[in-house]
């Protein structure tokens, strides 16, 4: 697909594969995603896919109407967690106009993504320990990226974000965070005082 943002166009994520994938190849994609959950991936965007109706009906797969953000990603994660094969179409057939309102929507529900990470981790794990490792790696990347992207927002908004995601900080592996400022602020446990972390992020 092509992403259109302020008259600029950018080609969507290159999956590095085309054609049919069997279950073992799907699981490899899931593991790669959990190690670094790039937002623009095969495991997100329900609009970038076609689904076999019989598969959805047999598996009872529907959108979760109790949530209003990332419901599409939860649907995609649930589908791919159960899929035995899929086909990647190489040509671009969709143009996505980026909405400026989505950022504000995210900061009202910053932990809505975690259900999807758990569904995917469960689908490729052979033990509870492995599931925890996959989840923690993905969660680390997601939380660190969220904080980095939030640094230009008003301090009051960043403070609320920090407060909302505070339960997740204990699961974060700071050595895997590429941004040194975010890594230090988490390691120093500044999240215990949300306004302090928000202020330091804003100044970074």
């Amino acid at each position: 697909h092509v992403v259109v943002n302020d008259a600029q166009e950018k080609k969507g994520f290159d999956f590095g594969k085309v054609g049919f994938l069997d279950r073992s190849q799907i699981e490899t994609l899931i593991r790669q995603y959990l190690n670094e959950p790039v937002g623009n991936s095969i495991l997100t965007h329900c609009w970038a896919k076609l689904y076999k109706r019989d598969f959805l009906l047999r598996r009872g797969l529907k959108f979760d109407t109790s949530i209003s953000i990332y419901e599409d990603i939860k649907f995609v994660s649930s589908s791919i967690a159960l899929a035995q094969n899929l086909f990647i179409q190489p040509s671009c057939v969709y143009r996505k106009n980026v909405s400026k309102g989505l950022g504000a929507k995210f900061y009202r529900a910053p932990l809505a993504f975690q259900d999807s990470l758990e569904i995917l981790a469960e689908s490729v794990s052979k033990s509870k320990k492995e599931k925890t490792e996959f989840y923690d790696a993905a969660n680390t990347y997601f939380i660190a990226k969220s904080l980095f992207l939030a640094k230009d927002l008003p301090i009051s908004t960043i403070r609320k974000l920090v407060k909302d995601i505070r339960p997740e900080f204990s699961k974060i592996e700071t050595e895997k965070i590429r941004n040194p400022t975010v890594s230090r602020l988490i390691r120093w446990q500044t999240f215990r005082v949300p306004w302090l972390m928000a202020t330091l992020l804003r100044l970074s």
Side-chain angles (χ1 to χ4, degrees):
H1 64 280
V2 169
V3 177
V4 182
N5 186 359
D6 293 333
Q8 291 185 326
E9 291 192 1
K10 186 173 73 171
K11 190 172 181 184
F13 191 74
D14 179 4
F15 309 124
K17 297 177 184 293
V18 294
F20 279 102
L21 273 65
D22 61 20
R23 182 62 203 172
S24 66
Q25 292 170 308
I26 293 171
E27 290 187 3
T28 298
L29 272 184
I30 292 173
R31 290 188 184 97
Q32 288 171 349
Y33 177 77
L34 290 170
N35 283 325
E36 188 171 330
V38 179
N40 196 10
S41 108
I42 196 170
L43 300 176
T44 58
H45 305 327
C46 68
W47 43 258
K49 300 166 183 62
L50 292 173
Y51 302 86
K52 190 174 181 181
R53 183 173 182 272
D54 179 60
F55 165 71
L56 299 180
L57 292 174
R58 278 189 292 108
R59 296 293 193 166
L61 291 166
K62 299 178 180 178
F63 271 56
D64 184 345
T65 56
S66 69
I67 56 178
S68 60
I69 183 169
Y70 290 147
E71 69 280 6
D72 58 336
I73 292 175
K74 187 174 180 181
F75 173 80
V76 172
S77 299
S78 300
S79 300
I80 290 184
L82 295 170
Q84 293 304 304
N85 53 69
L86 58 83
F87 181 83
I88 298 177
Q89 160 72 6
S91 59
C92 177
V93 293
Y94 194 97
R95 290 171 63 82
K96 179 190 178 186
N97 290 305
V98 177
S99 167
K100 292 182 178 178
L102 286 177
K105 191 178 178 186
F106 162 75
Y107 291 112
R108 290 199 299 271
L111 294 179
F113 201 79
Q114 272 63 16
D115 277 352
S116 299
L117 299 181
E118 195 162 353
I119 289 166
L120 293 171
E122 175 83 44
S123 73
V124 295
S125 300
K126 294 179 174 63
S127 66
K128 190 174 179 181
K129 181 176 181 287
E130 190 178 25
K131 177 187 170 184
T132 300
E133 287 171 355
F134 275 129
Y135 177 86
D136 288 352
N139 194 43
T140 294
Y141 181 89
F142 181 75
I143 295 294
K145 184 179 177 183
S146 301
L147 289 169
F148 177 74
L149 292 175
K151 66 186 178 62
D152 295 325
L153 295 171
I155 287 179
S156 59
T157 305
I158 306 173
R159 178 182 171 275
K160 183 183 182 307
L161 173 65
V162 172
K163 208 170 174 184
D164 288 344
I165 64 178
R166 194 158 42 181
E168 297 298 310
F169 284 114
S170 62
K171 306 167 192 170
I172 289 175
E173 303 165 338
T174 51
E175 69 279 4
K176 292 185 178 178
I177 297 177
R178 294 176 187 170
N179 185 282
T181 301
V182 172
S183 179
R184 276 196 302 271
L185 292 178
I186 295 174
R187 204 166 52 247
W188 294 342
Q189 299 191 4
T190 56
F191 54 83
R192 292 181 181 276
V193 186
W195 68 263
L196 175 62
M197 186 176 211
T199 304
L200 293 173
L201 270 171
R202 191 74 175 81
L203 294 173
S204 67

